[in-house]
Amino acid sequence: MDYIKQKILEIGRPKAEMVKDLIKKHGDDVIQDVTLGQVLTGMKGMVSLLTCTSKLDPEEGIRFRGYSIPELQGLLPKIHPDGEPLPEGLFYLMLTGELPTKEDVNHISEQWAQRAQGIPPHVYDVINALPKDAHPMIQFNTAILAMSTESQFRKAYLTGMDKKDYWDPTYEGVMDLISRLPVIAAYIYRRVFHNEEYIELDPNHDWAGNLAHMMGHDTVEVHRLMRLYMMIHADHEGGNVSAHATHLVGSALSNPYYSFSAGMNGLAGPLHGMANQNVMHWIHKMIREIGDENPSEAQIKAYAEMTLDKGQVIPGYGHAVLRKTDPRFTVQLEFAKKYAPDAPLIQTVSKIYKVVPDILASTGKVKNPWPNVDAISGSLLSSFGITEYPIYTVLFGVSRALGVLTQLVWDRLYGLPIERPKSQNLQWFVDKVNYKG
Ligand code: CMX
């Protein structure tokens, strides 16, 4: 057995026993009161999921297995000391709870480069059967489902395996799927935006570097940017739509491809991962309407107010959990200041950052007026030549696989059962709180 599998088995088995024992001894303990408001406003703050890969603090932002993004920039293995950590290292950390060595990271890089070669030809036929102008997320998710013909979990399940071992073929499927996503993403990118001129995977590159390479953006800066992008989007606790959907569908023992595909359907929503392309749409429309590539703060303020007057959201701002500027925004701004300080789009993003929080706060209803990860990610990619913004949510999806699929392995290690919350009709809520109108 691969040593990483052996490791998570050794860590996972006692944890699975602990979960069983906790349920047996404390299953009836009350851990939190639930309000009607929580149920009717998206279950915010309601503890209802067991997630081990990352935790989101409203003030501080994301921590992966206890480590913040700036901490991991110092701790995870890199190719160059002044570059960005390899996402392979973050995957290892989320999977095992331990910081990886350079050898661990190389081991995963090699495995992914090898497994990436195994995409069956019918997957490309399925993508090619779609119109080129089908949104890249449609093509991406269709390809994910088409790849599920390779599901090792399905095959193993049909052999009648022991429940305790479900995690093993899940892990194999997860490794296959993660390894292949950059190839699929780059294929769609080249198909839609670069005349179907495809670029082969280079097994000497790391996972994120290979994505940049296959997309045709083979510079040191874009390789570094892609590693950063893949790291910061990887996970955001268990309750966000893509993570929760992956977990929910996985709880039915659907294979990793079905489960992840469910998460990607959620990521494609404008309030979640599609926000990164909508930010670009919003900025470009503003620039067009104002007629100036460098809009002033006053012009941006007027445009933002007009957006709100029309009953629309300002994409890239606000968050269901965060109550401060997203550290994923900050780390991208720092990257931009280091590598592209004069990029006009970054300057516009900075001006938006100066004026929009006050406007949102003045509405009195927006709980978090600060920028989230999507407020800058597209402008950053664009400033380094990846200007075709419909691909951005696909890139987000490639990264998100790292966290949600690691958690799927843990769901199976823990032996978590099928998810089945209780629902009630409106009259039940009315009666429950004795509502009189
Ligand atoms: N612009 C305008 N209005 C906003 C807003 C924004 N950026 N963010 C929140 N609001 C509004 C909500 O629409 C809601 O209005 P109503 O009461 O009229 O329905 C009100 O403020 C309260 O919302 P909230 O409790 O502050 O926010 P939610 O938890 O309901 O929603 C989110 C969170 C992210 C969906 C919301 O802030 C939003 O729509 N932002 C813009 C889209 C975006 O950037 N999404 C990406 C999030 C990160 C990611 O998942 O990638």
Side-chain angles (χ1 to χ4, degrees):
M1 183 187 273
D2 180 88
Y3 81 93
I4 295 180
K5 275 170 76 171
Q6 189 63 43
K7 194 177 187 79
I8 54 174
L9 182 60
E10 280 161 19
I11 305 168
R13 279 276 150 85
K15 291 244 164 86
E17 288 307 317
M18 193 196 282
V19 170
K20 271 210 180 70
D21 203 40
L22 259 175
I23 297 168
K24 194 168 138 205
K25 294 181 179 149
H26 296 279
D28 292 329
D29 289 14
V30 176
I31 52 167
Q32 196 184 28
D33 292 327
V34 173
T35 65
L36 174 136
Q38 282 178 304
V39 176
L40 298 189
T41 59
M43 300 188 279
K44 310 272 167 57
M46 211 168 111
V47 178
S48 44
L49 292 162
L50 170 60
T51 301
C52 61
T53 47
S54 66
K55 192 169 169 163
L56 181 58
D57 181 88
E59 305 289 318
E60 197 195 28
I62 192 67
R63 277 186 180 269
F64 302 98
R65 292 276 193 177
Y67 296 100
S68 68
I69 290 171
E71 283 166 0
L72 289 179
Q73 284 181 305
L75 289 169
L76 290 178
K78 301 172 181 177
I79 292 182
H80 302 286
D82 59 340
E84 296 297 328
L86 290 157
E88 286 88 334
L90 177 62
F91 174 75
Y92 181 96
L93 172 68
M94 288 193 287
L95 194 60
T96 65
E98 293 173 13
L99 288 168
T101 62
K102 187 84 173 67
E103 288 68 41
D104 296 325
V105 163
N106 289 345
H107 180 71
I108 295 172
S109 273
E110 279 161 24
Q111 284 221 2
W112 285 353
Q114 201 186 347
R115 287 174 188 253
Q117 319 273 353
I119 300 173
H122 73 258
V123 174
Y124 298 105
D125 294 341
V126 167
I127 298 174
N128 293 337
L130 287 166
K132 264 197 198 172
D133 61 359
H135 193 280
M137 276 305 273
I138 299 174
Q139 304 193 38
F140 186 58
N141 217 353
T142 304
I144 291 165
L145 279 180
M147 283 193 286
S148 74
T149 50
E150 308 309 293
S151 169
Q152 305 206 34
F153 181 81
R154 187 173 158 271
K155 287 175 198 134
Y157 188 82
L158 289 176
T159 64
M161 66 190 306
D162 189 321
K163 277 178 173 186
K164 280 203 198 74
D165 298 327
Y166 287 164
W167 71 274
D168 188 327
T170 300
Y171 175 88
E172 294 300 333
V174 162
M175 290 292 279
D176 283 347
L177 180 49
I178 292 177
S179 77
R180 293 167 191 177
L181 290 174
V183 183
I184 296 298
Y187 184 87
I188 293 165
Y189 177 72
R190 302 291 302 180
R191 173 174 192 249
V192 176
F193 302 111
H194 292 272
N195 300 319
E196 303 179 32
E197 289 160 10
Y198 302 110
I199 300 168
E200 289 286 306
L201 176 128
D202 179 347
N204 298 313
H205 284 311
D206 58 291
W207 182 73
N210 235 324
L211 173 55
H213 162 73
M214 289 182 285
M215 287 177 74
H217 295 274
D218 232 344
T219 63
V220 172
E221 288 78 16
V222 178
H223 280 230
R224 287 183 181 179
L225 172 57
M226 205 54 91
R227 287 179 201 121
L228 177 73
Y229 189 100
M230 290 295 133
M231 181 173 87
I232 62 176
H233 290 82
D235 208 29
H236 222 220
E237 212 181 73
N240 69 78
V241 172
S242 51
H244 191 184
T246 304
H247 165 79
L248 168 66
V249 172
S251 83
L253 289 184
S254 302
N255 71 45
Y257 301 85
Y258 287 138
S259 307
F260 183 60
S261 170
M264 290 303 95
N265 284 325
L267 195 76
L271 298 187
H272 191 17
M274 197 69 90
N276 61 10
Q277 80 161 64
N278 290 348
V279 169
M280 298 311 290
H281 186 70
W282 189 81
I283 291 177
H284 284 308
K285 197 157 174 270
M286 171 174 72
I287 286 172
R288 264 200 318 276
E289 286 182 21
I290 291 171
D292 190 340
E293 288 284 335
N294 290 305
S296 67
E297 286 179 25
Q299 286 171 317
I300 293 171
K301 185 169 182 287
Y303 191 78
E305 284 167 347
M306 197 174 74
T307 303
L308 292 183
D309 288 346
K310 286 184 188 159
Q312 296 162 10
V313 295
I314 299 178
Y317 280 76
H319 201 272
V321 179
L322 283 167
R323 294 296 174 260
K324 286 270 166 67
T325 294
D326 191 336
R328 302 173 300 173
F329 174 87
T330 311
V331 78
Q332 292 181 90
L333 193 56
E334 279 163 11
F335 187 96
K337 281 181 186 156
K338 184 169 167 188
Y339 293 103
D342 301 325
L345 269 171
I346 298 297
Q347 287 175 10
T348 300
V349 164
S350 299
K351 283 187 225 162
I352 296 171
Y353 185 27
K354 276 194 192 145
V355 301
V356 162
D358 281 347
I359 298 170
L360 288 178
S362 70
T363 64
K365 65 172 186 180
V366 179
K367 294 194 190 68
N368 176 41
W370 301 106
N372 60 56
V373 66
D374 303 312
I376 183 168
S377 60
S379 297
L380 190 56
L381 289 166
S382 218
S383 302
F384 285 89
I386 306 175
T387 54
E388 305 87 351
Y389 57 77
I391 201 68
Y392 295 168
T393 311
V394 170
L395 300 180
F396 192 157
V398 174
S399 166
R400 187 46 60 99
L402 297 175
V404 301
L405 291 174
T406 302
Q407 186 55 45
L408 189 68
V409 175
W410 273 96
D411 292 347
R412 303 268 157 96
L413 273 163
Y414 286 144
L416 297 180
I418 191 161
E419 196 171 298
R420 193 20 171 128
K422 179 78 190 148
S423 63
Q424 294 287 3
N425 62 21
L426 184 57
Q427 193 59 45
W428 185 90
F429 290 100
V430 165
D431 295 343
K432 193 79 189 164
V433 297
N434 203 14
Y435 176 68
K436 301 282 184 229

